[in-house]
Amino acid sequence: MALHSAAAAAALSALLMLSFSGLTLSDTTPSTPVSPSAACNATTDPTFCRSVLPPRGKGDLYKYGRFSVAESLAGARMFAALVDRYLARHRHLSSSAIGALRDCQLMADLNVDFLTAAGATIKTTDTLLDPQADDVHTLLSAILTNQQTCFDGLQAASGSWSDRGGLDAPIANGTKLYSLSLSLFTRAWVPTAKPAHSHKGGSNDPHHGHGHGHAVVGQGFVAVNMTFRNTAGPAKHQAVAFRSGADLSAYYGCSFEAYQDTLYTHSLRQFYRGCDIYGTVDYVFGNAAVVFQGCTFYSRLPMQGQCNTVTAQGRSDPNQNTGTSIQGCSLVAAPELAANTAFTTLSYLGRPWKNFSRTVVMESYVGALVDPSGWMPWSGDFALSTLYYAEYNNTGPGADTSRRVAWPGFHVLGDGTDAGNFTVSSMVLGENWLPQTGVPFTSGLIP
């Protein structure tokens, strides 16, 4: 995608400028006044950042962060209006193009809401404690995911729609602006944030999301003992059973049943307890901050020549607080896969859908179906050095890590310190909201 290569070129030129300027923020606090150029050095795209921040004077990171969020909100409103205009002319469009635009409309409206809420929270204070800091971090992470979803949907519909050129540039610009807001926010209000690495180029096929079953947005959604099923068989390719973009949502004793792309953990903070998930290719995918606890992942029989991949996590920006944590679960073969002798099916824990894909499998039972290499590449070396995949304290015949992939981004965790970052209390701040749902949970590592 041209979007990636342009960002990579901008990042490279910024790195060259940085090497000559010698300016860093490592010796300053967020409240220290610095030039806009210095404030931009620690962001994901310094060159773009300098084109956004006012060029003169000095300000602290809080001021620049607020300015960037306000710019993002203005841009989000303009983009939402643009999508509305495209939809108003939809008499000539195909049904797939209209569907993609309506999803963009939903994503754009959510982004206006999220940026309005984030801006209101950071407007009055330089000090944010959790859960407020995590709330804003979550919203600013989600606007990037929403933007990516709009882009991916338009890409998928592009074969039947030629007149969408007017949307590509605003989407690309919005993505850069939202990434900048997230970058500056994490520098100022999230003091433990590590410096971002520049984006690397690369493109990959989107999940087209054909045949969405149920979808939910909003806050505080709880589902208990429900089944979400997409009846399309393995030959239908993408067939989502359930898509969740609901913040602070919990699912207890539910069953999610399909083949490819079963459960779309789209965005925001989610928790699944005692659920069954059935699928083949990338059957848990998306870019939420999500913990699965005491769940069973049943890999089914795919089409001959397909591989099973349990996860395809879609983190696209190094500052997003997102990732998939599988804790105290079982990853096993569904009966039809276990009984199949007609052909061999390779099964993996996951593969990287986006550049900064992040998935951890810990304290779980890994069945013999999982290939000794554990993880599957997406395409060539895409994301292998920028992803974060880890395993910790798993059991079962597929849990042996001695023959796992040798990617820079793969880790076998030796103690619970790093694994603790992917527990309910750290990953989704569950102690603040899960008690109200009535869904049982373990907040830390399993004793």
Side-chain angles (χ1 to χ4, degrees), residues 125-426:
T125 179
D126 292 351
T127 306
L128 285 182
L129 301 175
D130 280 334
Q132 268 195 316
D134 192 65
D135 288 346
V136 177
H137 199 173
T138 296
L139 293 173
L140 295 180
S141 295
I143 59 173
L144 275 164
T145 303
N146 291 343
Q147 192 84 343
Q148 183 73 50
T149 300
C150 172
F151 178 79
D152 286 349
L154 292 174
Q155 286 280 89
S158 61
S160 59
W161 179 31
S162 55
D163 177 33
R164 54 170 274 259
L167 291 170
D168 285 356
I171 289 175
N173 198 59
T175 298
K176 288 183 178 182
L177 198 49
Y178 301 162
S179 180
L180 173 60
S181 291
L182 179 60
S183 225
L184 289 170
F185 172 78
T186 55
R187 299 280 123 5
W189 280 275
V190 187
T192 55
K194 297 176 177 63
H197 300 288
S198 301
H199 288 281
K200 298 206 167 34
S203 65
N204 49 14
D205 297 326
H207 289 259
H208 298 166
H210 291 164
H212 277 167
H214 306 272
V216 60
V217 295
Q219 187 170 320
F221 179 81
V222 179
V224 181
N225 294 338
M226 292 183 69
T227 295
F228 302 91
R229 180 184 297 125
N230 191 313
T231 55
K236 294 290 189 203
H237 302 294
Q238 293 91 356
V240 174
F242 185 78
R243 165 171 145 177
S244 175
D247 197 21
L248 309 179
S249 57
Y251 308 85
Y252 184 33
C254 293
S255 187
F256 303 89
E257 303 169 12
Y259 285 87
Q260 182 166 344
D261 293 357
T262 303
L263 177 57
Y264 194 174
T265 53
H266 180 268
S267 55
L268 305 168
R269 293 164 292 192
Q270 307 180 22
F271 178 66
Y272 295 76
R273 173 81 177 211
C275 294
D276 293 336
I277 306 99
Y278 294 82
T280 55
V281 179
D282 305 338
Y283 64 94
V284 175
F285 72 108
N287 195 23
V290 56
V291 178
F292 291 89
Q293 218 170 60
C295 295
T296 304
F297 297 84
Y298 290 101
S299 292
R300 303 175 81 169
L301 183 64
M303 295 169 65
Q304 188 166 357
Q306 281 186 322
C307 296
N308 284 333
T309 40
V310 179
T311 65
Q313 205 282 330
R315 186 165 164 262
S316 62
D317 189 286
N319 291 308
Q320 287 175 311
N321 63 350
T322 55
T324 297
S325 174
I326 294 174
Q327 182 190 23
C329 295
S330 295
L331 298 90
V332 298
E336 74 266 29
L337 177 64
N340 176 55
T341 56
F343 54 87
T344 302
T345 298
L346 298 177
S347 298
Y348 300 90
L349 298 172
R351 61 179 184 152
W353 182 21
K354 304 291 181 190
N355 242 321
F356 298 92
S357 185
R358 182 157 62 178
T359 304
V360 177
V361 179
M362 59 186 190
E363 302 179 310
S364 294
Y365 176 87
V366 183
L369 76 161
V370 173
D371 188 79
S373 62
W375 305 82
M376 179 181 175
W378 184 277
S379 177
D381 63 357
F382 172 75
L384 302 188
S385 59
T386 48
L387 59 76
Y388 182 92
Y389 285 172
E391 295 178 56
Y392 172 71
N393 211 18
N394 296 312
T395 59
D400 179 5
T401 56
S402 64
R403 293 162 61 194
R404 288 295 194 254
V405 292
W407 305 340
F410 173 70
H411 310 273
V412 177
L413 304 180
D415 64 42
T417 310
D418 287 330
N421 293 323
F422 300 95
T423 58
V424 164
S425 63
S426 296

Side-chain angles (χ1 to χ4, degrees), residues 67 71 83 92 187 373:
F67 179 86
E71 290 289 296
V83 173
H92 313 296
R187 299 280 123 5
S373 62

